[in-house]
Amino acid sequence: MKFGILKERKNPPDRRVVFSPEALVALQKTYPEFSVVVEHSPDRIFKDEEYQSAGIEVKNDLSDCDVLISVKEIPVSELIPNKTYFFFSHTIKKQVHNRVLLQTILEKNIELYDHETIVDANNKRLIGFGKYAGYVGVYNSIRAFGLKFELFKLPKASSLNGKEDLIRYLKRLVLPPLKFVITGKGKVGKGAQEILNALKIKEVSAAHFLTKNYTQSVYTQLGVADYYKRKDDHPFDFEHFKSNPSAYESDFEKFTKVSEIYISGHFYSVGSPAILTREMLQSKDCKLKIVADISCDVDGPIACTLRSSTIEEPLYGYLPSENKEVDVFHPAAIVVMAVDNLPSELPRDASIGFGEMFTEHVIPAFFNHDKDGILQRAKIAQQGKLTPRFSYLQDYVDGK
């Protein structure tokens, strides 16, 4: 079976890749049937020469490959009919901007697998860049605080050499006693927690976070039941919430009254209630200074996320009273960091880590007849149709 590692085609260029040269060499040793070529790229964090030195062929034409793999979406004009693709399609939440992408995939009879849909039998995600987004999200939130209040200046994460470099710069700082609140306990949340723990910032319970004052910086990490509540005052029930999200509302405002920095790492699905509302942000009791929206769902649960920001310009100001974007240094502005491709700021670390997960959870399925159903669950499109698991996207494809 021949795999092709595509260059990233989005602009600005993403420097990540699914496999490092070392990972591909290891796969060739493990699976004699595994054949691979890498598409030429001037932007990839691992240079063409590094693959060639490892004995991996690099060329421009990958049309003879059976499976084509990239990180981000492929422009519709570049999609090859009748091929198998793996990439983050950003379609499973019915993202309007990618409707044409999914329509074209169906029209071209492409078999599509999405990194985001690779789950185990319990629907737990197995691979992703979330941990690295968590790393950079925390770094960027602290950097934003320093810039906003002219306390310190940190270099951009993208100029550093990886996670350990982030931590090294952060450890040089003397922070005032700040309260960080994190929503989400998945990969993003765990990444955020890892950095805060490395800085010796103390984790406290939600109850203590809300009621106690500290002379040092602290953080609390919230699960779904901590920031949503049932409208009828019955106890929170996760299974009930999944099937009846409209029966719930945000219970997050109490955290806005005591937190300076909010780091969002939750999963949000269409139909879920808002978490941080305009009313909360407009309240005279709101203490939030920085909102690092790692999840970055525009027009989603975080009202101040008016747009996604970029690695080049990661911050913008939000004026609650007028619900509009303003300069970061506006005296009444909350600083928003809403970069939607944060792991790109740690391309080497993120690529190596992602490749390890893909090697462990996905590649074996190609050679063991998919005995655990990994590929079957991840498949969105086949033979010009949506698979039954993703049939809910039909109205989205139809433009309804």
Side-chain angles (χ1 to χ4, degrees), residues 104-307:
T104 305
I105 283 167
L106 294 171
E107 290 167 5
K108 292 191 173 185
N109 194 37
I110 286 168
E111 190 169 294
L112 174 66
Y113 298 84
D114 193 309
H115 299 309
E116 195 172 356
T117 62
I118 296 169
V119 297
D120 65 14
N122 297 313
N123 287 319
K124 180 182 177 182
R125 280 189 65 183
L126 296 174
I127 69 172
F129 288 103
K131 181 172 68 171
Y132 303 93
Y135 294 163
V136 183
V138 170
Y139 181 88
N140 282 358
S141 71
I142 296 173
R143 179 176 180 267
F145 188 87
L147 290 172
K148 169 71 173 177
F149 297 103
E150 299 180 335
L151 294 175
F152 48 81
K153 289 187 177 180
L154 287 169
K156 288 185 177 180
S158 56
S159 70
L160 304 180
N161 291 323
K163 170 192 165 189
E164 297 308 318
D165 225 8
L166 300 186
I167 293 171
R168 184 166 59 87
Y169 273 89
L170 291 172
K171 281 185 172 180
R172 296 175 179 176
L173 304 177
V174 178
L175 294 175
L178 300 172
K179 282 188 171 181
F180 297 77
V181 59
I182 305 170
T183 49
K185 295 187 175 182
K187 288 183 172 65
V188 173
K190 288 176 181 175
Q193 182 182 44
E194 199 173 322
I195 297 297
L196 292 172
N197 288 346
L199 302 181
K200 309 298 184 188
I201 293 177
K202 183 180 180 181
E203 182 177 14
V204 298
S205 68
H208 285 173
F209 187 89
L210 291 169
T211 58
K212 292 190 174 185
N213 295 318
Y214 296 89
T215 57
Q216 65 184 99
S217 289
V218 299
Y219 77 92
T220 195
Q221 188 167 21
L222 309 179
V224 181
D226 297 310
Y227 55 85
Y228 283 141
K229 63 181 179 181
R230 281 181 65 151
K231 294 177 181 178
D232 61 8
D233 294 327
H234 282 74
F236 185 92
D237 182 294
F238 186 66
E239 292 303 318
H240 182 262
F241 170 75
K242 286 196 296 184
S243 55
N244 301 277
S246 62
Y248 292 77
E249 62 186 358
S250 177
D251 195 26
F252 189 67
E253 186 167 20
K254 57 195 175 187
F255 293 97
T256 71
K257 297 177 180 179
V258 298
S259 312
E260 286 82 18
I261 298 179
Y262 170 32
I263 299 167
S264 81
H266 52 262
F267 174 79
Y268 176 74
S269 59
V270 176
S272 294
I275 298 173
L276 178 62
T277 67
R278 287 179 62 182
E279 292 72 24
M280 294 178 195
L281 291 162
Q282 291 170 349
S283 170
K284 60 180 176 57
D285 296 324
C286 180
K287 287 186 63 179
L288 289 173
K289 304 294 188 292
I290 311 293
V291 175
D293 189 0
I294 301 173
S295 297
C296 193
D297 291 294
V298 178
D299 296 325
I302 309 301
C304 54
T305 302
L306 302 178
R307 62 174 176 86

Side-chain angles (χ1 to χ4, degrees), residues 340-353:
D340 62 3
N341 59 336
L342 283 173
S344 298
E345 300 200 51
L346 296 178
R348 184 172 291 271
D349 286 7
S351 297
I352 292 171

Side-chain angles (χ1 to χ4, degrees), residues 105-107 109-110 380-388 394:
I105 283 167
L106 294 171
E107 290 167 5
N109 194 37
I110 286 168
I380 293 178
Q382 184 180 36
Q383 297 178 346
K385 297 180 180 179
L386 295 168
T387 61
Q394 189 63 55

Side-chain angles (χ1 to χ4, degrees), residues 21 40-42 44 46-56 58:
H40 165 72
S41 169
R44 191 183 288 122
F46 298 102
K47 303 299 182 188
D48 290 350
E49 295 76 19
E50 295 180 73
Y51 288 98
Q52 290 167 330
S53 295
I56 307 297
V58 176

